[in-house]
């Protein structure tokens, strides 16, 4: 087997919301596998922080200010990346938000905001990169899904609706553009220690123990746990894998849960 099939040498990878958290870890792994890394964030301040953080680990990343929910800004950013860095070979739709509010207390505006970032934005960014991928003859799109692409729980109705929708957008991009040698897959992270899950991990929050008990691996995931699967799905090693969601969850989805003692 040729291990070079995992190499990302010569590829340009755009990771949305990649200044910290999961996006930062995936983009860093791509750079180590040979790719040129591009990321965006909403605020200049976060882009600057991101560039400094990549710099610190020896990676020269290209950062852009862009709100992924704004189609005009996204189209401008993609055109600028194509001019300044090159055609995007790998897109990771990573930027995401969560609002933990019981459904009946949630306003329609709050629900829409989550859908906008977690579902509409992957549509907008994918749509912006696909035409050049078709011209180039290949492309990889990786959508960061969730346990909530399969499961529900109290307070996350909008997030679950968005991530469930993102799983189906993944299958549909595969269905429409597989013929152009574009592979669109998802990664469904389990419970990963990042700023997004910080409120759930504070000492004394029973949710922390609940997640550890519900995960056969017996721990929270790390951003590093996601990097191998992300490299696989971005590389030639996955050229016939399409429309799939790879759950990287320490076994949560396979497990019925611990019986009470
Ligand atoms: P995070 O720590 O909150 O990072 C999310 C990133 O997305 C931030 O850099 C954020 O920037 C950016 N972002 C948010 N809205 C944006 C917008 N409109 N335009 C551009 N960038 C935007 O989250 P994370 O835990 O790394 O999660 C990354 C992805 O993985 C999300 O899609 C999340 O739903 C998913 N996920 C996370 C977990 C987990 O356990 N952590 C599990 C499954 C799936 P700002 O700081 O400016 O908002
Ligand atoms: C929550 C969590 C999640 C995770 C993740 C699970 O409140 O339940 O924040 O939804 O972040 O997406 O895969």
């Amino acid at each position: 087997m040729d291990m070079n099939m995992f190499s990302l040498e010569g590829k340009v990878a755009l990771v949305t919301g990649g200044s910290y958290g999961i996006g930062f870890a995936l983009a860093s792994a791509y750079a180590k596998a040979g790719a040129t890394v591009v990321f965006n964030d909403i605020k200049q301040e976060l882009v600057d922080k991101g560039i400094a953080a990549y710099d610190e680990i020896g990676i020269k990343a290209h950062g852009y200010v862009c709100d992924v929910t704004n189609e005009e800004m996204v189209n401008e950013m993609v055109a600028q990346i194509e001019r300044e860095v090159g055609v995007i070979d790998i897109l990771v739709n990573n930027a995401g938000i969560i609002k933990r509010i019981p459904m009946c207390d949630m306003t329609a505006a709050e629900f829409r905001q989550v859908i906008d970032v977690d579902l509409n934005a992957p549509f907008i960014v994918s749509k912006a990169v696909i035409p050049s991928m078709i011209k180039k003859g290949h492309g990889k799109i990786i959508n960061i899904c969730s346990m909530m692409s399969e499961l529900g729980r109290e307070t996350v109705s909008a997030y679950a609706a968005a991530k469930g929708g993102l799983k189906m957008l993944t299958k549909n991009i595969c269905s429409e553009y597989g013929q152009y040698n574009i592979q669109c897959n998802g990664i469904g992270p389990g419970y990963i220690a990042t700023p997004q899950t910080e409120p759930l991990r504070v000492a004394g929050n029973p949710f922390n123990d609940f997640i550890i008990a519900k995960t056969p691996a017996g721990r929270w995931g790390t951003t590093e746990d996601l990097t191998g699967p992300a490299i696989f799905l971005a590389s030639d090693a996955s050229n016939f894998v399409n429309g799939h969601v790879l759950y990287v969850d320490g076994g949560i989805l396979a497990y019925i849960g611990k019986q009470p003692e």
Side-chain angles (χ1 to χ4, degrees):
M1 185 185 150
D2 180 7
M3 291 306 283
N4 270 342
M5 62 168 57
F6 290 95
S7 167
L8 302 182
E9 211 61 56
K11 308 282 187 201
V12 174
L14 167 63
V15 179
T16 66
S19 58
Y20 62 87
I22 290 174
F24 179 83
L26 301 189
S28 303
Y30 285 168
K32 285 177 197 154
T36 301
V37 160
V38 185
F39 72 98
N40 74 291
D41 222 305
I42 322 178
K43 299 173 217 115
Q44 183 67 53
E45 187 195 327
L46 275 167
V47 170
D48 294 343
K49 269 195 185 161
I51 287 179
Y54 285 109
D55 227 30
E56 219 168 278
I57 54 171
I59 295 167
K60 190 197 165 314
H62 304 258
Y64 293 85
V65 178
C66 176
D67 178 343
V68 286
T69 65
N70 181 324
E71 188 166 17
E72 213 181 306
M73 273 184 105
V74 167
N75 289 340
E76 272 169 26
M77 174 182 72
V78 169
Q80 203 180 343
I81 295 169
E82 289 188 358
R83 283 195 308 274
E84 294 175 357
V85 190
V87 168
I88 295 160
D89 302 284
I90 302 159
L91 163 67
V92 181
N93 282 310
N94 165 78
I97 59 168
I98 190 165
K99 287 184 187 292
R100 299 184 185 95
I101 305 171
M103 188 177 125
C104 292
D105 298 336
M106 190 172 218
T107 64
E110 287 166 333
F111 189 91
R112 282 197 194 99
Q113 197 193 341
V114 175
I115 300 288
D116 214 22
V117 180
D118 293 358
L119 180 57
N120 293 343
F123 160 76
I124 290 170
V125 187
S126 300
K127 201 180 140 197
V129 303
I130 286 171
S132 294
M133 287 179 169
I134 292 175
K135 274 195 210 130
K136 204 169 173 182
H138 75 91
K140 300 275 186 184
I141 299 176
I142 298 161
N143 291 326
I144 304 301
C145 297
S146 166
M147 293 291 90
M148 271 65 217
S149 298
E150 300 293 339
L151 302 169
R153 86 170 185 88
E154 301 80 358
T155 76
V156 297
S157 57
Y159 187 78
K163 294 294 187 178
L166 186 57
K167 174 181 71 175
M168 288 314 300
L169 179 65
T170 303
K171 289 175 191 268
N172 215 84
I173 293 174
C174 151
S175 307
E176 263 187 89
Y177 298 104
Q179 61 182 310
Y180 300 105
N181 194 24
I182 292 173
Q183 289 84 48
C184 180
N185 292 289
I187 289 179
Y191 280 78
I192 311 293
T194 68
Q196 195 229 55
T197 52
E198 212 168 286
L200 306 176
R201 286 179 286 111
V202 290
N205 188 337
F207 197 80
N208 185 52
D209 296 344
F210 164 69
I211 285 303
I212 292 169
K214 183 75 183 79
T215 307
R219 63 171 176 85
W220 282 77
T222 65
T223 54
E224 179 69 24
D225 288 324
L226 303 171
T227 55
I231 287 178
F232 167 64
L233 291 178
S235 70
D236 287 345
S238 61
N239 281 350
F240 203 55
V241 179
N242 212 349
H244 186 76
V245 179
L246 175 50
Y247 289 101
V248 186
D249 63 354
I252 294 179
L253 289 178
Y255 186 37
I256 193 168
K258 261 194 183 40
Q259 61 178 330
E261 294 190 346

